[in-house]
């Protein structure tokens, strides 16, 4: 791979991670040294100062992010790339606050890592640390799927500035939660967060809602009212469903974004617009621009930093965590506390969720309110999602597709190897047919992470490793690097 090369120090307590990553970076031409702890890192920093530092978060003798802040205090121009299996928004923000050049969630792609290291070497001026913001475990964004990691990384990079953000995604994906996270983690968090839904306001009142109006400005204006720009002064203005804004109002909004000033409806005094703008849409604004329904110049003013929120069907690995979170919230609101069994979670993960996270939240609240049992099973979840069928299939009923496949296998063996139905080998044969695709599918689903795959299947990690050896499945041949902290 072409690009800048230099001295790289990799700190990770996992032997396999150090070996694989170091080999990949050496193939790219870098001089790579490794350490398994913060103590070893310190010695390497003294004897062989690197030009780029790669660090895990959870190390045997401390926290890699906290240590990165200390390293950067002594070496302010050193690019630090944080690697972590704790793939939460808080981790991404902490890395950014510590002054990290970048944050890569595990499992990561080796080509992505190599490109990031080359870019860090090419831009050794370093990156500015984000404004200090407290770590908040109650942040509303939940999920550790790869689809959410890019969202977290972008949020972490914009909280320290006032760049305008445009959040796109289907209805129910949580666009307002992204806007609130940007506000709550940024320097404006002590000021108001003011949302306004452009689709919910009559066309003739949009300008008055946004910019306010003076007494007598129009029929019914009995007194002066401050608009949302004034209400959000010093804070964040969230323009939801911006794609539904009438063209005439778009023109005035564009002028405000260009000049940073506005006047109220019926007023003459100029007011400074001291707000951060976060807009959101579930529409294709490219298409709206092409058809003349949305101003192209306004689109570019809003789309400074785009964030595309994935649909829930694109982040199925987050469904279980989200479902439990919503059940906990329902219990905090006074509804009975419920739990989900493994089969129920499987039903949830296979559902397409056309209403996205909002639909999942509603289903969980319904189960919390109406389920008779504290432990919710697959049959009840299936009935709730399917519209409350009177006689849902029993939770233990086998999947029809799997049942057909097993019967077809037995029929084939009866024709081709009839003795196999009598010699006591049938059970092992059938289980063997299911076990390989099951393990391979779960490894793929969890990015090659054997620990997570084992938990999902219901095995311990050592048992899974033995089955990998017996079946000849080469988990190490997968492109992503999968490991724990």
């Amino acid at each position: 791979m072409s690009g800048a090369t230099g001295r790289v120090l990799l700190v990770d307590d996992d032997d396999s991670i150090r070996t694989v990553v170091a080999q990949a970076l050496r193939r790219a031409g870098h001089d790579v040294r490794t350490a398994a702890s913060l103590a070893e890192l310190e010695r390497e920093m003294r004897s062989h100062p690197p030009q780029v530092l790669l660090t895990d978060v959870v190390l045997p003798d401390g926290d890699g992010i906290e240590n990165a802040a200390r390293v950067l205090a002594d070496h302010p121009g050193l690019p630090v790339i944080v690697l972590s299996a704790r793939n939460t928004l808080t981790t991404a923000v902490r890395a950014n606050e510590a002054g990290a050049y970048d944050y890569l969630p595990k499992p990561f792609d080796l080509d992505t890592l190599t490109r990031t290291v080359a870019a860090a070497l090419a831009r050794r001026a370093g990156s500015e640390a984000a404004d200090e913001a407290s770590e908040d475990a109650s942040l509303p964004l939940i999920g550790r799927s790869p689809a959410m990691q890019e969202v977290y990384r972008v949020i972490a990079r914009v909280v320290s500035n006032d760049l305008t953000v445009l959040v796109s995604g289907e209805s129910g994906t949580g666009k307002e939660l992204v806007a609130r996270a940007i506000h709550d983690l940024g320097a404006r968090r002590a000021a108001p967060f003011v949302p306004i839904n452009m689709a919910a306001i009559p066309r003739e009142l949009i300008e008055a809602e946004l910019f306010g109006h003076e007494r007598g400005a129009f029929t019914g204006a009995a007194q002066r009212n401050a608009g949302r720009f004034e209400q959000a002064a010093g804070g964040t203005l969230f323009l939801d469903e911006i794609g539904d804004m009438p063209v005439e109002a778009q023109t005035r909004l564009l002028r405000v974004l260009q000049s940073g000033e506005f006047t109220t409806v019926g007023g003459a005094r100029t007011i400074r617009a001291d707000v951060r703008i976060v807009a959101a849409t579930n529409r294709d604004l490219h298409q709206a621009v092409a058809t003349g329904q949305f101003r192209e110049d306004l689109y570019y003013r809003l789309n400074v930093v785009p964030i595309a929120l994935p649909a829930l069907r694109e982040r199925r690995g987050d469904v279980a965590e989200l479902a439990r979170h919503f059940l906990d919230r329902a219990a905090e609101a006074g509804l009975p506390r419920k739990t989900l069994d493994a089969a129920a979670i499987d039903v949830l993960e296979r559902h397409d969720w056309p209403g996205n996270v909002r639909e999942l939240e509603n289903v969980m609240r319904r189960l919390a309110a109406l389920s008779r049992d504290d432990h919710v099973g697959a049959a009840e979840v299936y009935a709730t999602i399917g519209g409350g069928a009177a006689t849902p299939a029993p939770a233990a009923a086998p999947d029809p597709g799997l049942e057909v496949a097993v019967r077809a296998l037995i029929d084939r063996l009866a024709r081709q190897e009839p003795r196999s139905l009598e010699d006591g080998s049938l059970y092992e044969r059938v289980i063997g047919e299911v076990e390989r695709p099951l393990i391979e599918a779960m490894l793929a689903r969890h990015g090659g992470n054997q620990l997570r795959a084992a938990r999902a299947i219901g095995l311990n990690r050592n048992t899974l490793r033995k089955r990998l050896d017996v079946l000849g499945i080469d988990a190490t041949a997968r492109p992503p690097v999968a490991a724990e902290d």
Side-chain angles (χ1 to χ4, degrees), residues 26-43:
R26 285 172 182 139
R27 284 197 301 269
H30 301 293
D31 175 12
V32 183
R33 299 182 71 88
T34 63
S37 65
L38 295 181
E40 290 182 21
L41 178 153
E42 239 178 273
R43 289 194 291 271

Side-chain angles (χ1 to χ4, degrees), residues 10 12-22 34-36 483-484:
L10 167 65
D12 198 300
D13 62 343
D14 189 304
D15 292 341
S16 62
I17 291 291
R18 291 199 306 275
T19 300
V20 173
V21 172
T34 63
E484 313 154 68

Side-chain angles (χ1 to χ4, degrees), residues 81-204:
I81 299 170
V82 174
L83 317 172
S84 177
R86 291 192 169 181
N87 302 336
T88 64
L89 174 57
T90 296
T91 307
V93 171
R94 284 186 62 221
N96 193 66
E97 288 176 344
Y101 173 80
D102 208 344
Y103 160 77
L104 295 179
K106 297 178 182 179
F108 49 78
D109 182 79
L110 287 175
D111 288 340
T112 300
L113 175 64
T114 307
R115 285 194 298 269
T116 303
V117 170
L121 285 164
R123 297 172 56 193
R124 280 216 62 207
S127 57
E128 295 183 359
D131 289 337
E132 185 178 354
S134 61
E135 183 175 340
D136 184 358
S138 66
L139 287 174
L141 288 169
I142 292 174
R144 306 186 181 203
S145 63
M148 288 301 291
Q149 294 312 305
E150 185 60 26
V151 174
Y152 295 162
R153 291 175 67 192
V154 176
I155 291 175
R157 288 175 175 177
V158 300
V159 294
S160 61
N161 55 59
D162 274 344
L163 294 176
T164 302
V165 177
L166 179 62
V167 187
S168 60
E170 296 178 8
S171 293
T173 48
K175 296 185 287 295
E176 183 170 344
L177 297 182
V178 171
R180 286 188 179 275
I182 292 171
H183 173 79
D184 291 344
L185 293 167
R188 293 177 177 265
R189 57 188 174 274
F193 174 88
V194 178
I196 177 171
N197 189 322
M198 308 309 299
I201 302 170
R203 299 170 65 93
E204 63 275 9

Side-chain angles (χ1 to χ4, degrees), residues 90 224 325 395:
T90 296
R224 183 187 189 278
H325 169 73

Side-chain angles (χ1 to χ4, degrees), residues 8 39 70 142 158 202 234 257 272 302 335 344 358 402 416 424-425 431:
V8 179
R70 292 191 289 269
I142 292 174
V158 300
L257 296 181
R272 184 170 177 271
L302 294 172
L335 292 173
R358 185 183 296 127
L402 183 59
Q416 299 175 359
S425 66
I431 295 303

Side-chain angles (χ1 to χ4, degrees), residues 27-358:
R27 284 197 301 269
H30 301 293
D31 175 12
V32 183
R33 299 182 71 88
T34 63
S37 65
L38 295 181
E40 290 182 21
L41 178 153
E42 239 178 273
R43 289 194 291 271
E44 289 291 340
M45 292 293 296
R46 287 195 298 267
S47 59
H48 299 88
Q51 293 171 298
V52 174
L53 172 64
L54 305 178
T55 180
D56 195 9
V57 177
V58 179
L59 292 164
D61 50 352
D63 184 290
I65 293 180
E66 291 179 3
N67 186 71
R70 292 191 289 269
V71 169
L72 285 169
D74 297 330
H75 307 272
L78 177 67
V80 177
I81 299 170
V82 174
L83 317 172
S84 177
R86 291 192 169 181
N87 302 336
T88 64
L89 174 57
T90 296
T91 307
V93 171
R94 284 186 62 221
N96 193 66
E97 288 176 344
Y101 173 80
D102 208 344
Y103 160 77
L104 295 179
K106 297 178 182 179
F108 49 78
D109 182 79
L110 287 175
D111 288 340
T112 300
L113 175 64
T114 307
R115 285 194 298 269
T116 303
V117 170
L121 285 164
R123 297 172 56 193
R124 280 216 62 207
S127 57
E128 295 183 359
D131 289 337
E132 185 178 354
S134 61
E135 183 175 340
D136 184 358
S138 66
L139 287 174
L141 288 169
I142 292 174
R144 306 186 181 203
S145 63
M148 288 301 291
Q149 294 312 305
E150 185 60 26
V151 174
Y152 295 162
R153 291 175 67 192
V154 176
I155 291 175
R157 288 175 175 177
V158 300
V159 294
S160 61
N161 55 59
D162 274 344
L163 294 176
T164 302
V165 177
L166 179 62
V167 187
S168 60
E170 296 178 8
S171 293
T173 48
K175 296 185 287 295
E176 183 170 344
L177 297 182
V178 171
R180 286 188 179 275
I182 292 171
H183 173 79
D184 291 344
L185 293 167
R188 293 177 177 265
R189 57 188 174 274
F193 174 88
V194 178
I196 177 171
N197 189 322
M198 308 309 299
I201 302 170
R203 299 170 65 93
E204 63 275 9
L205 296 179
I206 283 183
E207 289 195 27
E209 283 287 332
L210 283 174
F211 309 112
H213 63 78
E214 300 298 324
R215 179 180 178 182
F218 50 83
T219 303
Q223 59 185 17
R224 183 187 189 278
N225 274 348
R228 303 302 173 91
F229 269 88
E230 281 189 81
Q231 295 169 18
T236 301
L237 179 61
F238 175 53
L239 304 175
D240 198 8
E241 305 298 354
I242 191 69
D244 294 307
M245 190 178 199
V247 175
E248 56 271 19
Q250 293 176 27
T251 302
R252 181 140 188 221
L253 176 60
L254 176 64
R255 285 201 300 269
V256 175
L257 296 181
Q258 289 173 332
S259 66
E261 298 177 336
F262 66 94
T263 57
T264 60
V265 176
R269 181 172 61 92
T270 299
I271 302 172
R272 184 170 177 271
D274 178 21
V275 299
R276 182 190 193 143
I277 299 291
V278 179
T281 182
N282 61 8
R283 297 182 59 192
D284 182 349
L285 289 189
H286 281 291
Q287 182 63 27
V289 168
T291 58
Q293 296 174 300
F294 201 85
R295 290 187 61 122
E296 184 175 21
D297 42 9
L298 177 58
Y299 170 71
Y300 289 119
R301 281 279 177 179
L302 294 172
N303 196 40
V304 178
V305 179
I307 296 180
L309 265 184
L312 188 53
R313 62 182 173 277
E314 296 168 357
R315 45 182 295 219
R316 294 180 191 272
D318 294 334
V319 169
E321 186 178 0
L322 284 163
R324 295 186 186 104
H325 169 73
F326 292 137
L327 287 176
D328 288 342
R329 280 181 52 179
E332 291 167 5
L335 292 173
R337 183 169 293 278
K338 307 293 182 183
T339 58
L340 298 163
D341 65 22
I345 289 173
D346 183 63
V347 172
L348 292 173
E349 289 179 340
R350 286 189 283 115
H351 187 58
D352 275 344
W353 300 109
N356 291 297
V357 178
R358 185 183 296 127

